[in-house]
Amino acid sequence: MKWSNIRQPIAEIIALYPAVFALIVLIVGVLMGIYIGFTHIVCISIFILVFVCILLIIKAKRFQLNELFSTCVLLIIYVLGIFRGYYSVETPKFIPSNCTQIDLRVNDIKDGNNSMRIAGTVLSAYDSIGVKLEYDIVQDVLITIQGIDYSLVPGVIIRIPNKFSLVDNLRNPDEFDYKTYLNRQGIFFQAYINSKNYEIVSISPTISNRINNLKMSLNKLILTSKLSSDSKYFLSAILLGDKHNLNVETRNLFSNIGISHVLALSGLHVGIISLLVYFLLFPLDYIIDRRIRVFLSIALLIMYAILTGLSVSVVRATLLSSVCAIGFCLRRKISPINLLAFVAFVMIVINPQWIYDIGFQLSFLAVLFILIFAHKINPINRKKVILYNIMSLISVTISASMGTFMLSAYYFHVIPVMFLIPNLILIPILPILLFIGILAVITNFHPIVYVYDLLYDILIKLFSCINNLDFSFIDNVEILPHDIVMYMTTTSIIAIILYNTRLWKKLLPTIVFILVLWVGISFTASPSVNGILIMNHYRETPIIIYDKKIAHLLLPADSIGAEFINEFKQYHKSYLSRRHIKELRQSESPLIIDSFGAKYFDYNTKHFILIDGKLTKDTLEISERVRCDYLLITKNYYASMNRVLSKYKPDTIIISGNIYSLRRKKLISQIESFGLPYYDIKEEGAFMLENN
C-alpha cells in the first residue's frame, strides 16, 4: 500500500479535528510525565517520534511545509504534557520532628456529625518552648476537630498541636483509594484534634478565603430560611454544590434512578444560570451594544464558577459557554467537537491531575456523546417545533446516558434502568425549582416557601415510587476495565456507521466479533466466593460472613441499626459487587457468649473468639485453656493479655483496627512476649478468609 493512500485520509481527519489530536498527544505526554518522569524512556520516545516524522516527510513525494509545522506542534504539545505531568506530582513536605505546635490558616470547613472537617494551610511551626522554627514550606493539610465552633471561618489562623500523620487508607479490599485522592490535591497529612486543643491566633483571609466566606454566608442564608430541612438541603446542593447535608437515602435515591448529576453542579446548572443571567440583563440591549450584555454574562458566569468552588464540570461548562458566546459575538462558526477538545486541553494543561477526576471523565463523555449521537437519533423534523423539542430532550438524555452509564457503573456499581422518566420530569422543572427556591430564600414569603416545599415533596414521592419498582435499577454491578474498552469500541464503530452508512456492511462483522469476545470474557469472570472479612474501621469492628450472594453483617458490640447497614452498603459497594453479593443483612444469629463473658462464632472449621469487654472473674480453677483458631481483641477490652491467655489458647491473635495507638503498641508488646503470631488490622488491613 502506497504511503500517499494512507497519508491522505489521516491528513483529512487531522485537518477536520486538530484539537482532538492535540488533546490525545497531550494526554499521552501527561501520563508519561506522571508515571515515568524525565527518564531515558521519555527521551527515547521523543527521539523515535522525531525520527518517524522525518521519515514520513522524506517518503512524501513533495515537501509540504504544513506537515512539518504540524509535526513540530505535536512534538511541542507532547513535551509540554511530559513537563506538566511530571511537575503535577507532589511529594510530602515533612514537618520538623521537634515541632509541637503549628499555625494553620483555615481554607474550607465542612460540618459533620458533631465535628468539623477543615482543609487548611500550614504557615509556621513552633517547638515546645514556643520558638518559631525555620520552616518555610507552606503545604495543605486536613484536620478534624471534635465539636462545632462557629467562630472558625475561612481566613482564621489557629494554633494546634502537632498530631499530624501521613494520610493512609484503611486497606480494606476494593475500598476507595482515599490516600491517592487527597495526594492528588496536594494533601499528605491529616490530624484529629480535640475541641479544647486549639486557639484562634488571628484573622488573615486570602481572596479565596473571602470567596469561601461568601459561599458559607449564602449557604447559611439558605439553611436558616423557612424552607423545610430536606428541601433547603436540596436547594443548597443544586445552587451552591454543597451536598454534605443531604442524607444517604436521598443520595441513593437520585443515584438509583439516574439523576445524581442534578446534585452535582454540572453543565445543566451552568446552562440554567447563564440563561437566567442573560435574560435578566436584557435591558442592556436598549442602552448599549448587545455584545456588552454577552460579556457581562460571561463575567457573572465566571464569578458563579469561582463561588461554587471551581468543580471540574462547572469549569468545563463555563469555558464552553464563554467560548461559544465569544464566537457568537465575533460571528465565527466553531466545530463543537474541536471546541470540547480545546476546553479539555486547556483544563489538563492547568491541572493534569484532573484526568483522574470522575467528574472530568463523566462530564466530557456526556457532552461528547450528545454531540455525536443526539441529532442522529432524533427522527422528528425541525419544522414540528414542539414535538422536535420534546424529542430533542429525550435524545439528549439518552445520548448523555450512553456516554456515562458504563463508566458510572464502574465507579458506583449501579445501572439506572428507569433513567429516562426521572430526567424528563426533573430537567424541565429544575429552572423553575431554582427560581422559586431563590425567591423563597430571599423573601421568606410563606406562599412561595409552601410552593417550593410542595414541589420538592411531590418530586421525592414520585421518584421514590419509581425507585421502588423491581426493575428500576440494577445494584451491585461488577464492571471491569475490559467492559469499558469493549463498550467504547463498539459505540465508536456505531458512530462511524451513523455518519457513513455505506460502511455498515464492512464494520458489522467487527461489531459481532467484539460482542462475542465480550461475552466470552464475561463468562470467564471470577465466580462467586464465600468467606469471612473482619474490616478495618474507625469506630467499630464490622464482621462480614458471606455465602451464595448473601452477606451477613455483625458487630461485636451493640446491635446493628439500619442506618449503619445503609452507610456500610454505600461505602463498600465495590467490595460487595466484586464478590457478587446481592444482599446485605443484619446477622440473624447473634454472637454467643461463653462462660467467661467472651463472644464466639464458627466459620467453616474455624473457631473465632471475640474479646469485647471485661472477662468474668474465675470462681473455679481452669484445668485446660479453651482452644480457638483466632482470637479477636477489640477496643473495649482494657485489661492485660495475661488474663486472656490464661483462659484461651489461640493459634493467631487478631488486633482490631479501632484500638488507639498507645493501647495497640502495648498489646503487641505483650503478645510478642508470649511468642504468639498476631495480625494487626490497623497496619496490615482487613483480615480475610475466602473459599471458591
Side-chain angles (χ1 to χ4, degrees):
M1 184 179 289
K2 294 182 179 180
W3 161 243
S4 58
N5 295 335
I6 301 174
R7 188 186 64 176
Q8 187 62 31
I10 293 176
E12 289 176 359
I13 295 173
I14 293 176
L16 193 60
Y17 301 112
V20 174
F21 280 85
L23 176 63
I24 293 170
V25 171
L26 179 72
I27 291 174
V28 171
V30 165
L31 294 177
M32 292 285 282
I34 290 174
Y35 291 105
I36 300 177
F38 293 117
T39 62
H40 296 298
I41 297 175
V42 176
C43 296
I44 291 170
S45 69
I46 295 174
F47 173 78
I48 291 172
L49 281 172
V50 173
F51 182 72
V52 169
C53 291
I54 292 172
L55 279 180
L56 294 179
I57 293 170
I58 292 173
K59 281 182 70 66
K61 288 184 177 179
R62 68 178 190 276
F63 181 78
Q64 295 185 7
L65 188 61
N66 61 341
E67 289 185 1
L68 180 61
F69 177 75
S70 300
T71 303
C72 292
V73 169
L74 290 177
L75 281 173
I76 291 170
I77 291 171
Y78 178 69
V79 174
L80 172 66
I82 293 174
F83 271 91
R84 290 299 296 127
Y86 179 77
Y87 285 107
S88 71
V89 179
E90 297 189 39
T91 54
K93 308 172 183 75
F94 289 95
I95 299 169
S97 57
N98 59 336
C99 168
T100 59
Q101 289 187 314
I102 283 174
D103 281 355
L104 180 104
R105 179 192 289 119
V106 175
N107 294 331
D108 191 29
I109 302 174
K110 292 283 188 286
D111 294 340
N113 185 16
N114 196 32
S115 64
M116 292 184 299
R117 187 188 182 93
I118 296 175
T121 303
V122 175
L123 300 179
S124 52
Y126 301 88
D127 63 14
S128 57
I129 59 174
V131 177
K132 187 175 181 179
L133 301 172
E134 292 295 327
Y135 178 74
D136 297 327
I137 299 173
V138 176
Q139 64 175 321
D140 293 333
V141 294
L142 194 66
I143 65 172
T144 301
I145 296 180
Q146 294 178 358
I148 303 294
D149 185 355
Y150 292 107
S151 63
L152 292 181
V153 294
V156 167
I157 297 175
I158 58 175
R159 185 162 296 172
I160 59 175
N162 180 16
K163 294 185 177 181
F164 285 99
S165 59
L166 282 169
V167 174
D168 200 2
N169 291 324
L170 292 174
R171 288 186 290 280
N172 291 315
D174 300 307
E175 72 174 353
F176 174 67
D177 193 349
Y178 187 63
K179 176 183 176 181
T180 302
Y181 171 74
L182 288 180
N183 289 172
R184 284 173 178 159
Q185 299 178 52
I187 297 174
F188 293 90
F189 292 93
Q190 63 181 354
Y192 298 89
I193 308 295
N194 190 281
S195 58
K196 298 178 181 178
N197 280 3
Y198 70 89
E199 61 174 320
I200 296 176
V201 177
S202 62
I203 299 177
S204 177
T206 61
I207 295 175
S208 62
N209 294 151
R210 295 182 190 277
I211 293 171
N212 277 337
N213 274 327
L214 177 59
K215 180 181 177 180
M216 289 179 65
S217 299
L218 292 174
N219 197 34
K220 187 177 179 181
L221 190 65
I222 295 172
L223 299 181
T224 55
S225 67
K226 293 181 180 179
L227 296 170
S228 65
S229 296
D230 290 338
S231 61
K232 68 176 66 171
Y233 296 154
F234 178 72
L235 180 61
S236 177
I238 63 174
L239 185 61
L240 298 176
D242 189 359
K243 297 185 294 183
H244 78 279
N245 284 318
L246 288 171
N247 55 46
V248 176
E249 289 77 14
T250 303
R251 294 188 189 192
N252 286 341
L253 172 64
F254 278 67
S255 176
N256 291 342
I257 60 177
I259 53 174
S260 57
H261 60 91
V262 173
L263 299 178
L265 291 181
S266 62
L268 175 64
H269 302 75
V270 173
I272 293 170
I273 296 296
S274 60
L275 289 174
L276 182 62
V277 168
Y278 189 73
F279 174 75
L280 292 175
L281 294 177
F282 81 92
L284 293 178
D285 286 358
Y286 301 98
I287 304 171
I288 51 180
D289 194 300
R290 186 180 182 183
R291 288 175 292 186
I292 302 298
R293 177 186 175 192
V294 173
F295 285 111
L296 275 175
S297 300
I298 292 172
L300 291 172
L301 199 58
I302 293 171
M303 289 174 62
Y304 174 74
I306 295 171
L307 179 65
T308 54
L310 292 174
S311 67
V312 173
S313 53
V314 172
V315 171
R316 188 266 307 159
T318 302
L319 283 174
L320 275 175
S321 301
S322 301
V323 175
C324 285
I326 292 170
F328 173 75
C329 288
L330 299 176
R331 302 182 185 278
R332 297 286 180 89
K333 288 185 178 181
I334 305 173
S335 165
I337 292 179
N338 276 326
L339 175 58
L340 185 67
F342 171 74
V343 169
F345 185 96
V346 171
M347 291 179 66
I348 292 173
V349 170
I350 293 171
N351 185 358
Q353 295 295 331
W354 271 342
I355 289 176
Y356 303 102
D357 190 279
I358 298 173
F360 180 91
Q361 297 168 10
L362 294 176
S363 178
F364 278 94
L365 272 177
V367 177
L368 178 62
F369 271 67
I370 289 170
L371 294 176
I372 293 173
F373 290 100
H375 67 285
K376 287 290 183 181
I377 61 177
N378 186 351
I380 308 300
N381 193 297
R382 287 178 180 269
K383 294 178 180 179
K384 302 176 182 179
V385 179
I386 297 176
L387 195 58
Y388 177 81
N389 289 333
I390 294 172
M391 194 60 204
S392 292
L393 178 59
I394 295 173
S395 62
V396 165
T397 303
I398 292 173
S399 300
S401 299
M402 283 174 58
T404 59
F405 99 92
M406 184 62 75
L407 199 61
S408 181
Y410 173 75
Y411 285 122
F412 306 114
H413 308 286
V414 175
I415 295 179
V417 178
M418 298 290 291
F419 69 91
L420 188 58
I421 295 174
N423 276 284
L424 292 179
I425 294 170
L426 186 57
I427 291 175
I429 205 173
L430 188 62
I432 300 170
L433 272 175
L434 277 169
F435 183 71
I436 296 175
I438 293 170
L439 280 180
V441 170
I442 294 173
T443 63
N444 270 325
F445 187 47
H446 181 72
I448 300 176
V449 171
Y450 175 78
V451 169
Y452 181 83
D453 286 341
L454 181 63
L455 281 173
Y456 176 77
D457 290 340
I458 291 172
L459 285 174
I460 292 298
K461 288 177 182 177
L462 184 59
F463 294 155
S464 297
C465 291
I466 296 172
N467 185 55
N468 291 333
L469 296 173
D470 292 336
F471 51 86
S472 62
F473 66 95
I474 304 172
D475 202 5
N476 292 337
V477 178
E478 182 187 17
I479 300 295
L480 300 175
H482 74 262
D483 295 318
I484 299 173
V485 173
M486 296 287 187
Y487 175 77
M488 290 302 174
T489 305
T490 304
T491 51
S492 299
I493 295 172
I494 292 171
I496 293 171
I497 293 174
L498 282 174
Y499 282 85
N500 192 341
T501 53
R502 291 175 299 176
L503 296 175
W504 76 271
K505 288 184 179 179
K506 294 181 180 179
L507 294 176
L508 186 60
T510 307
I511 295 178
V512 173
F513 172 75
I514 292 171
L515 293 177
V516 170
L517 181 63
W518 193 355
V519 171
I521 294 173
S522 298
F523 272 113
T524 59
S526 58
S528 300
V529 295
N530 63 79
I532 180 173
L533 178 73
I534 304 175
M535 303 194 80
N536 191 5
H537 195 274
Y538 290 115
R539 301 189 308 271
E540 309 290 347
T541 307
I543 301 171
I544 302 180
I545 301 173
Y546 47 96
D547 185 22
K548 296 180 180 178
K549 300 184 179 181
I550 297 176
H552 295 275
L553 175 65
L554 57 92
L555 296 177
D558 302 327
S559 60
I560 307 168
E563 185 179 349
F564 185 86
I565 289 183
N566 289 334
E567 180 185 330
F568 191 90
K569 285 180 181 178
Q570 183 70 20
Y571 290 108
H572 298 287
K573 267 192 173 183
S574 181
Y575 172 80
L576 298 174
S577 63
R578 291 282 188 272
R579 281 149 186 82
H580 309 284
I581 296 171
K582 300 300 180 184
E583 187 176 357
L584 180 65
R585 303 174 181 170
Q586 180 175 347
S587 178
E588 297 175 358
S589 304
L591 294 168
I592 306 169
I593 302 177
D594 66 11
S595 57
F596 301 125
K599 300 170 184 176
Y600 68 90
F601 68 94
D602 293 315
Y603 167 72
N604 284 348
T605 59
K606 305 298 181 182
H607 187 57
F608 288 78
I609 291 179
L610 285 66
I611 309 298
D612 190 53
K614 293 182 179 179
L615 297 176
T616 57
K617 293 185 177 180
D618 303 329
T619 54
L620 298 173
E621 222 176 273
I622 302 172
S623 58
E624 186 176 355
R625 291 185 296 164
V626 178
R627 189 197 165 278
C628 62
D629 295 288
Y630 298 98
L631 188 143
L632 173 62
I633 306 291
T634 70
K635 71 174 182 179
N636 293 326
Y637 181 73
Y638 297 99
S640 69
M641 287 302 301
N642 293 333
R643 183 166 176 76
V644 175
L645 296 177
S646 67
K647 303 174 186 295
Y648 301 103
K649 186 180 180 182
D651 291 341
T652 303
I653 296 175
I654 302 172
I655 304 171
S656 177
N658 60 358
I659 297 176
Y660 298 117
S661 180
L662 293 176
R663 173 67 184 149
R664 193 173 77 253
K665 289 179 181 178
K666 186 177 180 180
L667 282 173
I668 291 173
S669 176
Q670 292 173 358
I671 294 168
E672 288 177 342
S673 68
F674 284 95
L676 290 172
Y678 66 90
Y679 187 94
D680 185 2
I681 290 179
K682 182 73 173 178
E683 293 297 323
E684 300 180 60
F687 176 85
M688 182 166 57
L689 294 175
E690 282 190 338
N691 300 303
N692 291 328

